[in-house]
Amino acid sequence: MTKIALFCFGLQMLNISYAVAQKAPAASGHRKSRKPAAASSTKNHKEGAGTRAAKDPMVEEIMREVSPQQIQKNIEKLASFGTRNTISINNPDAQTSGKGIVAAYEWIKSEFQRYSDACGGCMEVNTDERVLEPTGPKPRLKGPTNVRNVYVILRGTDPALKNRIYVVTGHFDSRAKDVMDSNAPAPGANDDASGTTVSLECARVLSKHKFPATILFLTVSGEEQGLLGSAHFAKRVTELGLGVQDVLNNDIVGGNRTPGDTKQNSNWVRVFSEGIPSNATPDQIKEIRATGRENDSPSRELARYIAEVARTYPGFGQFTPQLIFRRDRYLRGGDHISFNEKGFAAVRFTEYREDFHHQHENPRTENGIEYGDLPKFVDFNYVANVARLNAATLASLALAPAPPVQPRLLALELENDSKLEWGPAPGATGYEVLWRKTTDAEFPEENVTRTTDTKIVMPESKDNVIFGVRSVDAKGHRSVIEVPEPERKKEE
Ligand SMILES: [Zn+2]
């Protein structure tokens, strides 16, 4: 947003009461429609020229603080535990050998604690564990196994926003070729010491600052045994009713560099997001189909938000996220799916081009090919760029107002105008209504109308375009875009 636009907009907003403290709703792609409301008014609306989000100097500082040297140290340390196979917790010498997942887990905890100590105890270092039994036709556990996660909370400072929680995660377990082998070397430098390190580095740099909303730094185990740690954590936060909003999963973000490989692109990180929410019921899928929202899940809006953050803070050289409109790589999966299945917006970051000789392989050289997921194949500057994008996204989300509450597109009668309504959002001083063609991948910045109202009549027909609404504050922070759900006549 330009300074002038911001200033005018800010003045307009002074008389609006927005700071309504309310419990953050659990993120879900599907909400029940509210009762029909009165017809929209058009006051306080302002068509806008194309704008960029305002840059926040704090976010720029955070990006500068990310350290490739620290990242290298962390990845080398994590790779030094020999294996981090989840079932190595049951190895006879697990507690004393200094090797295996127990030692890695203790080190991760102590590292997070060190960052918290450095900010005067500003973060809570917690653990989450559960003994799981082998289940299913092809269990990846040999017997009862304690699957442990580490999560660290940087509490928000705004009473109206602190129940909103933004999560970054990576998995610290690793595997050899045989996923059931808890002794074979499995350095897992790229998969997924790199993602674990993104979580650690985000905690280190973000803990030097304060945010209105809460940020949670998670590292999970059990991924290679079937997403066990993330599934347990997603279930737990659902049961506890914690206000988790958005989840950034980093898995294989090492930017693999094999000597002689010319096909890797160290300027690109893929961001995968689901189209149809994994937890959608048949009725909800029917409605998604009837309204053409197959490309507008909360996870996809999160992916679009990440792309916008990268455009706002182009401090990455040529580094940019490539949005892939698919839940994960073809027929494959990761920890974000555990969150998707519980109805949370969650995306996956992965390097542009994976090298399968350096994934899930026992380190060895065969026919001149070096196998194994070793630190020497990791591009630490690349991981630093991924960490910067994650940190900038988390900071932007945690500085922003909450998104508009339950936006609805009124479809009470047939008409060519489009009426939208939403509830006031904590922290918002105004709203931006955007639209895009159904064939567009993202909402173009020029299609924006600003208002301090919580309803609007748009001249574009809902038959032809996709609408979205986001909250803004006086400093130009923006929420994620919410795409309205239809509000229909009862008898339909
Ligand atoms: Zn992985």
Side-chain angles (χ1 to χ4, degrees):
M1 197 179 285
T2 65
K3 266 188 182 153
I4 292 168
L6 242 181
F7 180 67
C8 299
F9 197 33
L11 283 182
Q12 262 192 337
M13 293 160 191
L14 287 175
N15 63 352
I16 214 164
S17 69
Y18 59 83
V20 185
Q22 58 186 95
K23 201 166 174 284
S28 161
H30 310 286
R31 303 170 197 90
K32 290 201 174 71
S33 284
R34 286 176 167 186
K35 64 179 189 297
S40 309
S41 86
T42 52
K43 65 173 180 169
N44 288 339
H45 299 161
K46 224 177 160 170
E47 296 285 335
T51 55
R52 285 266 174 267
K55 275 191 197 182
D56 188 315
M58 190 212 280
V59 179
E60 292 180 301
E61 194 187 328
I62 285 163
M63 287 165 61
R64 279 195 300 274
E65 284 167 354
V66 168
S67 159
Q69 292 75 31
Q70 182 65 46
I71 283 168
Q72 176 171 0
K73 248 172 89 178
N74 291 352
I75 290 174
E76 287 172 348
K77 181 71 186 178
L78 284 162
S80 77
F81 293 109
T83 178
R84 303 187 306 278
N85 186 303
T86 302
I87 59 182
S88 68
I89 194 170
N90 292 334
N91 287 358
D93 59 349
Q95 306 298 328
T96 53
S97 65
K99 299 281 177 193
I101 197 160
V102 173
Y105 165 86
E106 294 297 342
W107 177 78
I108 290 166
K109 265 199 314 185
S110 69
E111 193 65 7
F112 275 127
Q113 190 59 53
R114 196 166 71 81
Y115 304 155
S116 183
D117 292 346
C119 60
C122 72
M123 296 191 290
E124 298 148 40
V125 180
N126 301 297
T127 57
D128 166 50
E129 50 188 280
R130 188 176 173 86
V131 176
L132 299 174
E133 301 283 344
T135 53
K138 282 187 180 174
R140 288 186 170 193
L141 298 177
K142 288 179 177 169
T145 306
N146 194 1
V147 176
R148 307 198 289 190
N149 305 317
V150 182
Y151 68 101
V152 178
I153 299 175
L154 179 61
R155 296 248 176 231
T157 55
D158 184 331
L161 291 167
K162 67 178 183 188
N163 289 333
R164 301 183 61 81
I165 302 174
Y166 301 101
V167 179
V168 59
T169 186
H171 71 87
F172 65 91
D173 63 307
S174 68
R175 61 170 287 184
K177 197 171 187 72
D178 176 1
V179 73
M180 302 302 281
D181 189 337
S182 62
N183 289 298
N190 195 346
D191 185 11
D192 184 30
S194 66
T196 301
T197 295
V198 168
S199 241
L200 281 162
E201 187 64 355
C202 283
R204 193 181 70 80
V205 299
L206 292 169
S207 59
K208 297 174 182 174
H209 304 271
K210 297 254 178 270
F211 301 91
T214 293
I215 303 174
L216 191 152
F217 310 94
L218 175 64
T219 61
V220 299
S221 66
E223 198 270 355
E224 305 290 7
Q225 315 307 121
L227 313 182
L228 302 180
S230 58
H232 177 248
F233 193 78
K235 184 165 171 258
R236 187 163 170 222
V237 296
T238 305
E239 284 165 0
L240 293 175
L242 298 182
V244 169
Q245 306 295 323
D246 294 300
V247 180
L248 311 179
N249 176 32
N250 289 269
D251 196 351
I252 313 177
V253 292
N256 176 77
R257 46 174 197 188
T258 305
D261 173 25
T262 55
K263 291 180 177 160
Q264 184 61 282
N265 186 337
S266 59
N267 288 325
W268 283 3
V269 63
R270 293 179 287 172
V271 178
F272 292 89
S273 60
E274 66 179 5
I276 308 285
S278 297
N279 70 326
T281 63
D283 276 353
Q284 288 165 335
I285 291 173
K286 207 171 145 187
E287 187 186 82
I288 287 169
R289 205 177 280 130
T291 54
R293 287 183 291 127
E294 298 92 339
N295 192 9
D296 282 281
S297 67
S299 299
R300 191 136 301 161
E301 305 314 340
L302 173 59
R304 293 185 175 112
Y305 190 86
I306 293 163
E308 191 198 306
V309 167
R311 287 191 292 269
T312 306
Y313 299 99
F316 311 89
Q318 298 296 308
F319 186 78
T320 54
Q322 300 295 310
L323 304 192
I324 311 283
F325 287 174
R326 179 170 285 148
R327 187 170 72 167
D328 202 322
R329 299 146 306 156
Y330 203 75
L331 293 176
R332 296 166 73 198
D335 288 321
H336 58 304
I337 294 174
S338 295
F339 291 93
N340 288 151
E341 285 176 346
K342 288 290 178 189
F344 297 108
V347 299
R348 176 188 182 128
F349 292 78
T350 297
E351 65 188 9
Y352 170 61
R353 189 177 161 88
E354 294 167 77
D355 185 329
F356 302 105
H357 293 149
H358 302 153
Q359 220 176 82
H360 304 179
E361 286 286 356
N362 298 25
R364 68 193 188 281
T365 299
E366 239 175 60
N367 302 325
I369 296 170
E370 191 167 9
Y371 292 86
D373 190 352
L374 303 164
K376 68 176 181 181
F377 299 122
V378 172
D379 179 344
F380 304 111
N381 286 316
Y382 178 87
V383 183
N385 277 332
V386 177
R388 288 183 186 110
L389 180 53
N390 273 262
T393 301
L394 291 166
S396 298
L397 288 166
L399 287 163
V405 176
Q406 292 186 323
R408 288 102 59 208
L409 228 173
L410 307 192
L412 305 173
E413 54 197 58
L414 293 172
E415 56 189 342
N416 283 310
D417 284 347
S418 302
K419 291 174 181 157
L420 287 85
E421 296 190 359
W422 56 90
T429 51
Y431 305 93
E432 293 181 347
V433 180
L434 299 114
W435 63 267
R436 68 169 207 273
K437 293 194 285 185
T438 57
T439 50
D440 283 346
E442 292 188 64
F443 290 92
E445 286 292 331
E446 55 271 22
N447 298 345
V448 62
T449 304
R450 301 191 180 84
T451 182
T452 54
D453 225 336
T454 54
K455 57 192 173 186
I456 196 166
V457 180
M458 297 292 289
E460 294 80 15
S461 167
K462 58 190 163 298
D463 296 342
N464 303 339
V465 305
I466 309 269
F467 287 106
V469 195
R470 69 179 162 221
S471 304
V472 294
D473 71 9
K475 288 183 177 167
H477 300 127
R478 293 170 164 178
S479 73
V480 291
I481 291 171
E482 292 260 324
V483 168
E485 296 188 4
E487 183 160 300
R488 286 183 287 190
K489 272 190 231 168
K490 279 259 159 59
E491 59 269 26
E492 280 178 351

